[in-house]
Amino acid sequence: MAIVLLSIVLVTVVALLAAAGAGKLARMDGATYPAALTRAATAFAAVLTLAATATAALATLRT
């Protein structure tokens, strides 16, 4: 159970770091704050979706 919780925390931290990086790069590119926030949210959702898809694929292979 602890491994599952640690994995969830790790994926969330990686998603937050990706979102922060995407937002910062968007601001450096000259995007407005709402546009940068939108890009950050998109990056966050993409990382979580990728992690969920990889987990589903690995769970399918395991059974």
Side-chain angles (χ1 to χ4, degrees):
M1 185 67 171
I3 294 174
V4 173
L5 292 175
L6 286 174
S7 298
I8 291 171
V9 169
L10 179 65
V11 167
T12 305
V13 168
V14 169
L16 286 172
L17 287 172
K24 178 64 176 171
L25 287 173
R27 281 297 296 155
M28 289 175 62
D29 195 33
T32 62
Y33 281 107
L37 186 59
T38 302
R39 291 182 192 175
T42 303
F44 182 77
V47 171
L48 290 183
T49 303
L50 180 62
T53 304
T55 302
L58 290 175
T60 303
L61 291 176
R62 187 171 182 199
T63 59

